[in-house]
Amino acid sequence: VKFGRLEKELADRIGQVFTIQEIPQITKLNINTTNFKEVLKNPYIDYDLCIKIFDYRDEVDELQDISELKNIEGFPVQLYDRIVVYLSAK
């Protein structure tokens, strides 16, 4: 198993036991206009990372693309794909 991804065989076995009853509806937050408390609700963003994100946003004035989050020193790039499910820059 790779970090963040299941091998197909394992995913197939899990799918035989569990089913998705309802696909969750996720509304992305615009990182340029949302507030600190809303971003902190992201299950992959802790308080320290939230501070770094808002400091970076203030520094650049506005993120043009959500991938700019990777420019933040100490940003957990291994969680990027999970974090951006909840955030956008537009």
Side-chain angles (χ1 to χ4, degrees):
V1 177
K2 294 181 182 179
F3 182 78
R5 296 179 191 245
L6 294 176
E7 291 181 4
K8 182 171 178 7
E9 291 176 20
L10 180 57
D12 290 343
R13 286 191 356 221
I14 291 171
Q16 292 172 355
V17 177
F18 298 98
T19 59
I20 297 173
Q21 298 292 322
E22 184 178 323
I23 297 174
Q25 298 297 318
I26 298 172
T27 303
K28 289 188 176 207
L29 298 173
N30 183 327
I31 195 66
N32 293 311
T33 59
T34 195
N35 65 52
F36 189 91
K37 286 184 179 182
E38 288 299 315
V39 174
L40 195 54
K41 290 179 184 177
N42 183 307
Y44 303 103
I45 296 177
D46 63 15
Y47 186 81
D48 291 335
L49 180 56
C50 199
I51 289 173
K52 289 178 182 181
I53 290 171
F54 276 80
D55 285 349
Y56 182 80
R57 185 186 79 174
D58 292 344
E59 181 182 318
V60 298
D61 192 39
E62 182 177 281
L63 280 78
Q64 300 302 307
D65 189 273
I66 198 65
S67 66
E68 290 179 55
L69 291 176
K70 295 178 186 178
N71 296 335
I72 298 170
E73 186 173 332
F75 184 85
V77 292
Q78 71 276 16
L79 295 178
Y80 172 79
D81 290 338
R82 294 177 183 195
I83 289 172
V84 298
V85 167
Y86 301 90
L87 300 175
S88 73
K90 298 186 186 219

